Every structure is written in structure tokens, then in C-alpha cells.
Amino acid sequence: MSKEMISALNTLEEEKGIKKEVVIDALEAALVSAYKRNYGQAQNVDVEFDDKKGDIHVYAVKEVVEEVLDDQQQVSLSDALSINKAYELGDHIKFEVTPKNFGRIAAQTAKQVILQRVREAEREIIYNKYSEYENEIVTGEVARRDNRFVYVDLGGVEAVMSKQDQIPTERYEPHDHIKVYVTKVENSGKGAQVFVSRSTPDLLKRLFEQEVPEIFDGTVEIVSVAREAGDRAKVAVRSNDPDIDAVGTCVGPRGQRVQTIVNELNGENMDIVEWEDDAAKYISNALNPAEVVDVLFDEENERTCMVIVPDYQLSLAIGKRGQNARLAAKLTGYKIDIKSETDAKDLVEQPEEADTTESDSPEADEQ
């Protein structure tokens, strides 16, 4: 067994990066438990593994005392001195107690320890590798899917993509190659687990960084993203260079840059709008492609506003199933109430009429 053990330890160190000393420490601890379990011994024992020869020795460790009360744990000073004149009270002496058939138990234990260490090392390697990719985009291959998850092979680990992280309009088939965003990497008792997403707004940010050099180097900045995955998204951008048009840079020549991202997301519509310091202008931009006449803010709630649009633009501003207004609200962080010019005018006139009635009331009282 000695040659096989040393060979196995060397292979682990070379191929798996598991240090020999770490495995030997774990093996010695496991052999102590195995010895006590198999031989019904409760005394202090120590196991030593010779990493040169591969030999294993079991020692009973006894304390040198004046009077022995437990011969399993203690040895008298007189007996200790007969072994070596240098021993003193309180010293610990090792007595070899290696059973004749301990090699079989040692081999079984060693196999278990090595397999466990290999599993732990592989989990650690996977965790360390993919934790570096957390919050980044990676390309994977769809391995399989069930009612709960799509399993994506990232090359060495199978990531999971839950239903809420999938794009509703996409169907994932085995061997499909897809770009996914790594949302979380966990190292649990079951092993390293990688979670990925296609629906998160962060995927959109990373795709723009990949496609638009000015975003990657910070010249153009993505301020906010609102997304309904698979259908439509709004991206607010601003330029940190007055000579560069943020929206035009993201769209690219003849729309090539944004079209590449749209294609990656299977036709998801994309509105790129300019972020403004002026909240009214920003909200107007966010409601693109609708035309905005005015933005009125609620004095009692600074994050609420009424947006007035031409009558013929009302349905466009609200969008299909309210999507345009909903995405604009997510993008800006404002609660937006959209009114047509006619409706807004009626709202303004009604209070004026009420004020006129009140001003007439004193005259009526006098009459």
C-alpha cells in the first residue's frame, strides 16, 4: 500500500493542486477516529504517516504522573525513567500500538479521505473560478431543462437559470449557445452552485459595455435601465465628454451597435434616451417616442408628476398595456400620471369654476 499511497498523494498535488501535507493531516485525523472506532479504545492516540515510505504508525499518548490512576492515559514516573532518564512529570510519551491488521482499515480510510478532499478541492476550484465571473457575462451551452430550471454548461460547471431569470419569449434547447449574466455563486455543502440570468437589466448593461467602447472606458455612462425582458427596454445614458453624443454613440453607425444587442436578445425593442439633470426634461426623454407638452410636479410628493401630451399622442405615451409609461417610471424613479391636453385643461378649469362660485356667495348673503 505504501507505494500506492505516495503515488496517489503526488498525483493529487500535481493534477488537482491539493497539497500533500493537507491530505496527510486529514488522513491522520481520520485514522485516529478509525482506530478508536474499530478497536474500542478511548485513550489519547496519535497517528503518524511517513510520507517517504508510506508507513502508518499508531501511538498511545500517555502523561507521566507520580501515581497512575488510569493506565490508558497515564504512565508512572518510574516507568518513564526506565525508558529515558530525561523524562519528567507532565511529559507525554508515545507507545506504539499499531494493530497487525490496521493496514486494511488504513487503506479504506485513506480512500475515503482522498475522495472527500478531491470533491472539496473541485468545489473550491469551481467556486474560485466562477466567483470571479460574478456580475459578468459568460457564454454557455444549454445542457438540459426541466419544469424549474434551464441548466447551462459553462465548461466545468453546470449553472442553473430559474424561470424568472429566463426571457419569456425564448425557448432553450440542448446545445444552444447563449450569453448569460452570473448573478450569484455559492459554495454550499452540495458543492459550488452558479446562478445565471437572461432577464436581469444588468445583462443589458454588460452587453452595452461589450458593444460600445465608450461605455466600457467610461466616456459614456449608463445611468439607469428599465426592462421587461423579451419585449422592451429603456436605457438612460449620459456623456462625460461634451463633444460626444451619448445616444448616437450607443446606437452606432446605421444602428449597428444597438442592433447587435437587440439580436442577442432575440428582438427585444430598445429605447435609448438621454439622461438630464433637469427632471422634467429627463421624464420627457424617458417617454420617447411620445411628444411631451409639459411636466407638472406634485408639491406634496416630489417623486410624483403629471405629464401632459397632445391628445393624439396619449395612447403612444401610455403604450401598449401601459408599458411605455411603466418603463419610463422605472427608468426615472418617478410616479408618472399621463394626461391629454384636453383632460389636463378640464382639470385646471374645474377649480377655477369652484373659486368663482365661492366669490359670488358673499353677494348672495347680502341680498
Side-chain angles (χ1 to χ4, degrees):
M1 169 192 156
S2 58
K3 291 182 179 179
E4 293 176 356
M5 176 69 72
I6 294 171
S7 176
L9 293 176
N10 290 333
T11 301
L12 280 177
E13 192 162 32
E14 292 170 5
E15 296 184 1
K16 299 292 185 180
I18 306 172
K19 291 188 177 298
K20 188 189 302 182
E21 295 78 10
V22 174
V23 180
I24 290 174
D25 288 345
L27 176 59
E28 289 175 346
L31 288 173
V32 168
S33 299
Y35 175 80
K36 291 182 177 181
R37 184 173 60 252
N38 286 275
Y39 295 95
Q41 299 294 330
Q43 76 263 37
N44 291 330
V45 294
D46 192 10
V47 175
E48 292 182 1
F49 176 78
D50 187 339
D51 62 349
K52 298 293 189 292
K53 298 179 180 179
D55 296 335
I56 294 173
H57 300 278
V58 182
Y59 298 95
V61 183
K62 298 184 179 183
E63 183 182 0
V64 178
V65 295
E66 189 71 49
E67 182 181 355
V68 175
L69 300 177
D70 182 354
D71 60 4
Q72 296 288 319
Q73 309 280 345
Q74 300 168 332
V75 61
S76 68
L77 178 60
S78 58
D79 288 342
L81 291 173
S82 66
I83 300 170
N84 191 315
K85 296 296 184 182
Y87 282 128
E88 298 177 351
L89 290 173
D91 286 347
H92 290 83
I93 305 176
K94 291 182 177 181
F95 298 89
E96 185 164 1
V97 293
T98 309
K100 290 182 179 180
N101 64 338
F102 194 61
R104 177 181 56 81
I105 295 172
Q108 293 174 345
T109 305
K111 182 179 179 181
Q112 293 171 356
V113 169
I114 289 172
L115 288 174
Q116 181 182 355
R117 284 291 163 173
V118 168
R119 286 194 294 268
E120 291 174 356
E122 288 176 343
R123 285 201 299 264
E124 193 67 24
I125 289 169
I126 291 172
Y127 175 76
N128 290 338
K129 177 181 178 181
Y130 286 96
S131 60
E132 295 178 1
Y133 290 105
E134 199 168 74
N135 303 325
E136 297 294 341
I137 287 180
V138 295
T139 300
E141 181 180 336
V142 176
R144 55 195 173 90
R145 57 187 172 87
D146 57 27
N147 293 331
R148 296 170 54 210
F149 299 108
V150 170
Y151 300 87
V152 183
D153 183 1
L154 301 182
V157 65
E158 197 172 70
V160 296
M161 184 164 61
S162 63
K163 279 193 175 297
Q164 61 265 32
D165 286 310
Q166 299 168 28
I167 295 179
T169 56
E170 290 183 335
R171 183 169 179 83
Y172 307 98
E173 299 293 348
H175 308 301
D176 285 351
H177 287 83
I178 56 173
K179 287 184 177 180
V180 292
Y181 180 86
V182 179
T183 57
K184 183 170 58 174
V185 181
E186 291 182 350
N187 195 6
S188 63
K190 296 180 180 179
Q193 183 72 73
V194 181
F195 299 88
V196 297
S197 175
R198 288 271 295 169
S199 65
T200 174
D202 291 319
L203 174 67
L204 203 52
K205 285 185 179 180
R206 290 291 183 261
L207 288 173
F208 269 101
E209 287 176 3
Q210 286 185 352
E211 197 60 36
V212 183
E214 291 84 355
I215 291 179
F216 184 79
D217 65 23
T219 305
V220 173
E221 180 183 350
I222 295 177
V223 181
S224 180
V225 175
R227 184 182 180 205
E228 293 186 359
D231 193 355
R232 190 174 180 185
K234 286 182 180 285
V235 182
V237 295
R238 68 178 171 192
S239 174
N240 294 317
D241 184 335
D243 295 328
I244 291 180
D245 172 22
V247 174
T249 297
C250 294
V251 172
R254 296 184 298 278
Q256 289 178 352
R257 288 176 171 178
V258 71
Q259 190 58 49
T260 299
I261 297 171
V262 169
N263 292 342
E264 172 61 36
L265 299 176
N266 289 324
E268 186 173 314
N269 293 314
M270 208 73 56
D271 293 337
I272 302 176
V273 304
E274 187 167 2
W275 181 89
E276 296 276 1
D277 282 319
D278 186 308
K281 290 182 179 178
Y282 182 32
I283 292 167
S284 297
N285 292 346
L287 284 166
N288 180 65
E291 176 189 336
V292 173
V293 175
D294 201 1
V295 178
L296 305 176
F297 293 94
D298 188 335
E299 293 180 359
E300 296 181 0
N301 188 341
E302 61 179 15
R303 304 304 294 182
T304 300
C305 66
M306 181 172 69
V307 175
I308 302 172
V309 300
D311 290 14
Y312 69 94
Q313 293 265 304
L314 181 61
S315 60
L316 181 63
I318 295 173
K320 188 177 180 181
R321 300 186 302 277
Q323 186 185 63
N324 194 54
R326 189 165 58 248
L327 285 173
K330 287 181 181 178
L331 191 73
T332 61
Y334 279 83
K335 183 178 179 181
I336 300 174
D337 182 19
I338 301 176
K339 300 290 184 183
S340 67
E341 285 184 291
T342 300
D343 290 341
K345 184 179 179 181
D346 291 341
L347 286 172
V348 172
E349 289 177 348
Q350 286 175 6
E352 291 179 353
E353 292 175 0
D355 290 342
T356 302
T357 304
E358 289 174 5
S359 63
D360 290 343
S361 59
E363 296 177 5
D365 290 341
E366 288 178 6
Q367 291 175 356

